[in-house]
Amino acid sequence: MEYAIVFLPLLGSIIGYLGKSITKFFAEISTSLFVSISAVLSIFVFWNGIQNELYGNYIIFEWISSGGFTANWSINIDPLSSVMLVVVTFVSALVHIYSIGYMSHDPHKPRFMSYLSLFTFSMLALVVSDNFLQLFFGWEGVGLCSYLLIGFWFKKETANNAAIKAFIVNRIGDFGLAIAIFLIFFFFGTINFDEVFQATSQFTEKKIVFFGFESNLLTLICVFLFIGAMGKSAQFLLHTWLPDAMEGPTPVSALIHAATMVTAGVFLVVRCSPMFEYSQIALNLVTVVGMITAIFAASVALVQNDIKKIVAYSTCSQLGYMFFAAGIGAYHVAMFHLFTHAFFKALLFLGAGSVIHAFKDEQDIRNMGGVRKKLPYTYVFMLLGTLALTGFPFLSGFYSKDAIIEFAYLKGSSLGNYAASVGIFTAFLTSIYSWRLFFKTFHGPYNNKTPIGETHESPVVMLVPLIFLGFGAVFSGYFFKSTFIGHHSSDFWQTSIFFLNEIKHNAIPLWFLLLTPILVILSIPVAFYLYILNPKVLEDLKNTNKPLYNFLLNKWYIDELYEKVFVYPAKRAGSFFWKKGDIGVIDRFGPDGISKLIKIISSKTTRLQTGFIYDYAFVMLLGLSILLTYLILK
């Protein structure tokens, strides 16, 4: 069963791509079926773990063996990986089914479905690994698949640029992860998780000189691990690829942002909790970066107009929540939010895709509005997703996001209090921009050039996945809160998460418990007034605060900063070395120079070919004379 979970998506990817010419819907049906079976089996494994604690490490084969070093290909099932299996396969299966309708008119849909399944397999290989090398294989696999899917419409220049940007930015994080793995292997002598984590306590005081600076070994390793996580999970400064990834088809956005690639960084930090727990500096770094990312992305989302980019920045902000939860040591709460977030964020992305489908590929929310009666089912599902995202009481986001804020408060440290404050303020911003998206999309006047009569609800094949995700968005927090973060949650997580100083969920002041939900509820009428009833208030505010508005609209000018600091100098250097080095030196004195010399010699030599016998006789006589002279002198 465990083997089937991992390899059915790979089999579906191969069969779907190679069998694209068998029947019209062969690729869609085969890939969706295999991933759906994998999802059902994953749920069964997850439930078996909760009820019967049935876990194990299933070795497929010995991958590398050299001396005392071994690295296996294995399927490591523990509580942490079982949660990830459910998240990845369940959301992926629904995205596959949704794509049958969404991509129905695309001539290359077999290739698209094959890429989706390959993406799923790569993520599964990552989460079930029992060593850093297999994890790195899956890590690079999801990076490759994201490149292929973001640039799926390769005839669009913007899609190609976005794919290249995602690939390059992720290489920075991947380089950090690779350095961390090298350090682990060099000092620990192994890359197997169990062996490394058991030996970690022996290296707490180990110092090494790295680039001329003395550093604590575990801190250095954890910092580089986190750099890898920053790239994959789009944390501040390495986040720039995430909004541009919206150039891919909407199902890709749902899969990348909800269940696979961006959650890999959070999973890495939680998986390596036995190392991070011994480095307070690394944990503080994780907390600070998570806080900055949460508030940065939420502030930018306030003024964006592309429906998918607003949801993308929302993902970036929610990932910030997960990281600062991990940074304060509440790894289980980070995983709980990852779990609930997968449902409502996939619901929002697929709901946004349904809206885009109805508006004939329109993505600007300023050109929407007034379609709540034309899209009744999409309206309801987007409403549920928005409520869950904002943390409306008793929906999934309420249980997981508020838990992060509560645990930050219970940490009792200055950084924990800062994190709680940032979490509360970000929750308010999240509610504002989420309701802005919802109200401007479905309420107010109709603003699109397409006649409203031509807008229509999505087909059943696109609505069915939304039903399942809607249930998850509403009920996943309530049903799994006690399992994931309750007083006996350690019985579930067992040794898959390590707590050196576990935060106890003690009594919290009532005002603190009520503060965030009250802000979330109050934001609904405030947003409706500002964006529907009296938008002139915001227009006046925007005109009087133009620099701030432009600052947020241009995403804190991070892209422009990178353009000036890295991209432009790199292009100038590349142009210089190409013209002066490549053309001026290598080509001039290399292939061009040699061919020119040969051409000159050839043109001179052809003059000897006169066609007269006496010239040839003279040359023969001259050669004979030289030969005789040589023989005599010898």
Side-chain angles (χ1 to χ4, degrees):
M1 182 168 60
E2 289 77 10
Y3 296 93
I5 292 172
V6 175
F7 289 105
L8 277 177
L10 177 62
L11 183 63
S13 175
I14 296 169
I15 292 176
Y17 189 82
L18 297 179
K20 57 186 176 181
S21 59
I22 296 177
T23 60
K24 184 178 180 181
F25 295 104
F26 179 81
E28 294 95 312
I29 293 173
S30 60
T31 53
S32 301
L33 178 63
F34 286 150
V35 175
S36 297
I37 295 172
S38 181
V40 172
L41 295 177
S42 295
I43 294 171
F44 185 72
V45 167
F46 175 63
W47 188 249
N48 252 347
I50 294 176
Q51 294 297 107
N52 306 313
E53 298 186 6
L54 292 178
Y55 301 112
N57 189 11
Y58 307 90
I59 296 176
I60 302 172
F61 62 88
E62 191 177 77
W63 189 7
I64 298 173
S65 179
S66 178
F69 170 74
T70 58
N72 298 319
W73 250 95
S74 63
I75 300 175
N76 181 36
I77 304 296
D78 63 1
L80 182 59
S81 61
S82 69
V83 171
M84 292 300 296
L85 285 178
V86 171
V87 170
V88 173
T89 57
F90 184 75
V91 174
S92 180
L94 296 177
V95 168
H96 274 73
I97 296 169
Y98 179 92
S99 300
I100 296 174
Y102 191 87
M103 302 294 289
S104 59
H105 300 297
D106 195 290
H108 304 292
K109 53 184 176 292
R111 176 165 59 89
F112 179 78
M113 301 299 289
S114 177
Y115 287 169
L116 284 183
S117 291
L118 185 61
F119 201 158
T120 306
F121 165 73
S122 299
M123 189 66 188
L124 292 176
L126 189 160
V127 300
V128 300
S129 58
D130 72 345
N131 62 80
F132 283 99
L133 194 59
Q134 184 183 334
L135 180 141
F136 193 73
F137 171 86
W139 194 271
E140 293 301 300
V142 293
L144 169 64
C145 293
S146 69
Y147 170 80
L148 295 174
L149 286 167
I150 294 169
F152 177 75
W153 288 321
F154 56 86
K155 292 184 180 179
K156 287 173 59 179
E157 184 179 357
T158 52
N160 285 326
N161 292 341
I164 292 170
K165 186 175 183 179
F167 198 78
I168 291 174
V169 173
N170 272 277
R171 293 291 72 73
I172 299 170
D174 295 352
F175 183 64
L177 176 59
I179 292 177
I181 295 173
F182 295 154
L183 288 171
I184 290 169
F185 172 69
F186 186 80
F187 288 99
F188 287 75
T190 179
I191 55 170
N192 295 318
F193 291 148
D194 288 342
E195 296 173 3
V196 171
F197 298 156
Q198 288 173 8
T200 297
S201 59
Q202 303 172 18
F203 290 87
T204 52
E205 303 299 325
K206 176 71 174 178
K207 303 282 185 180
I208 65 168
V209 177
F210 190 81
F211 282 103
F213 296 95
E214 187 178 67
S215 305
N216 179 274
L217 174 63
L218 288 181
T219 297
L220 201 61
I221 290 173
C222 290
V223 167
F224 279 117
L225 285 172
F226 181 58
I227 291 173
M230 286 176 65
K232 274 290 179 288
S233 293
Q235 292 300 282
F236 185 66
L237 298 181
L238 293 182
H239 69 278
T240 52
W241 67 270
L242 194 66
D244 290 8
M246 298 303 99
E247 288 293 335
T250 300
V252 174
S253 305
L255 194 58
I256 290 177
H257 289 246
T260 56
M261 187 167 167
V262 296
T263 62
V266 180
F267 170 80
L268 176 66
V269 172
V270 176
R271 172 62 80 193
C272 296
S273 56
M275 305 186 79
F276 277 90
E277 281 291 272
Y278 286 103
S279 175
Q280 191 58 49
I281 293 175
L283 286 175
N284 290 345
L285 176 65
V286 173
T287 306
V288 170
V289 172
M291 290 162 50
I292 294 173
T293 305
I295 199 165
F296 154 75
S299 66
V300 171
L302 285 171
V303 297
Q304 298 302 306
N305 297 308
D306 186 306
I307 187 171
K308 287 171 65 177
K309 285 192 176 181
I310 295 172
V311 184
Y313 277 110
S314 169
T315 299
C316 198
S317 181
Q318 297 306 303
L319 288 165
Y321 271 102
M322 297 175 207
F323 274 109
F324 80 65
I328 61 173
Y331 304 100
H332 55 323
V333 186
M335 286 303 301
F336 183 41
H337 193 50
L338 184 154
F339 181 77
T340 61
H341 174 265
F343 295 105
F344 59 73
K345 190 50 60 68
L347 179 62
L348 284 171
F349 265 116
L350 297 186
S354 185
V355 171
I356 294 167
H357 183 76
F359 278 99
K360 298 183 177 179
D361 298 327
E362 177 62 68
Q363 294 185 197
D364 194 324
I365 60 173
R366 294 171 297 183
N367 299 328
M368 297 179 184
V371 291
R372 64 184 184 278
K373 293 181 180 178
K374 295 290 291 182
L375 309 175
Y377 300 112
T378 301
Y379 178 83
V380 171
F381 293 130
M382 287 289 284
L383 176 62
L384 292 176
T386 302
L387 288 169
L389 170 62
T390 57
F392 194 83
F394 310 116
L395 273 72
S396 60
F398 166 76
Y399 291 103
S400 60
K401 187 161 64 175
D402 282 29
I404 292 176
I405 298 171
E406 291 167 17
F407 273 81
Y409 175 81
L410 290 169
K411 179 69 175 176
S413 64
S414 298
L415 194 58
N417 292 332
Y418 284 129
S421 302
V422 167
I424 293 169
F425 183 60
T426 303
F428 176 71
L429 295 182
T430 301
S431 194
I432 293 293
Y433 71 68
S434 297
W435 289 112
R436 171 179 178 259
L437 182 153
F438 182 79
F439 290 140
K440 290 184 77 68
T441 300
F442 294 103
H443 292 263
Y446 182 80
N447 295 319
N448 199 267
K449 59 184 178 181
T450 303
I452 192 170
E454 295 184 16
T455 58
H456 57 85
E457 187 60 272
S458 298
V460 174
V461 73
M462 292 174 62
L463 293 176
V464 169
L466 299 182
I467 296 172
F468 285 97
L469 291 171
F471 273 103
V474 174
F475 298 112
S476 62
Y478 174 77
F479 282 117
F480 292 99
K481 179 183 179 182
S482 60
T483 302
F484 282 23
I485 62 172
H487 291 292
H488 301 289
S489 60
S490 57
D491 294 337
F492 167 69
W493 293 109
Q494 298 181 14
T495 58
S496 63
I497 295 179
F498 178 74
F499 298 100
L500 190 62
N501 297 298
E502 186 175 358
I503 302 172
K504 299 297 182 182
H505 200 283
N506 301 319
I508 301 176
L510 182 62
W511 67 267
F512 187 83
L513 290 174
L514 295 177
L515 179 60
T516 306
I518 288 173
L519 288 175
V520 166
I521 294 171
L522 288 177
S523 67
I524 301 175
V526 170
F528 189 78
Y529 176 78
L530 292 176
Y531 295 112
I532 300 299
L533 297 181
N534 194 3
K536 190 176 183 300
V537 174
L538 283 178
E539 285 297 322
D540 294 340
L541 189 64
K542 183 173 71 175
N543 292 329
T544 54
N545 294 275
K546 204 72 174 177
L548 176 61
Y549 175 76
N550 289 331
F551 179 71
L552 298 178
L553 187 65
N554 290 284
K555 301 158 286 190
W556 291 22
Y557 294 105
I558 301 294
D559 282 296
E560 288 77 5
L561 177 65
Y562 285 172
E563 181 74 25
K564 288 188 176 181
V565 175
F566 299 113
V567 178
Y568 181 70
K571 285 183 177 179
R572 288 289 302 271
S575 177
F576 172 80
F577 285 114
W578 169 53
K579 291 180 179 178
K580 300 297 183 182
D582 231 20
I583 297 175
V585 178
I586 297 174
D587 285 351
R588 182 181 178 187
F589 298 104
D592 290 348
I594 294 172
S595 61
K596 186 177 180 180
L597 179 62
I598 291 173
K599 185 177 180 181
I600 293 172
I601 295 172
S602 299
S603 63
K604 298 291 184 183
T605 305
T606 55
R607 296 181 182 178
L608 298 176
Q609 304 294 325
T610 62
F612 296 110
I613 295 177
Y614 53 80
D615 284 335
Y616 299 146
F618 173 73
V619 172
M620 292 170 64
L621 183 61
L622 185 63
L624 182 61
S625 301
I626 293 172
L627 179 61
L628 289 172
T629 302
Y630 171 74
L631 293 173
I632 291 170
L633 292 176
K634 186 178 178 183

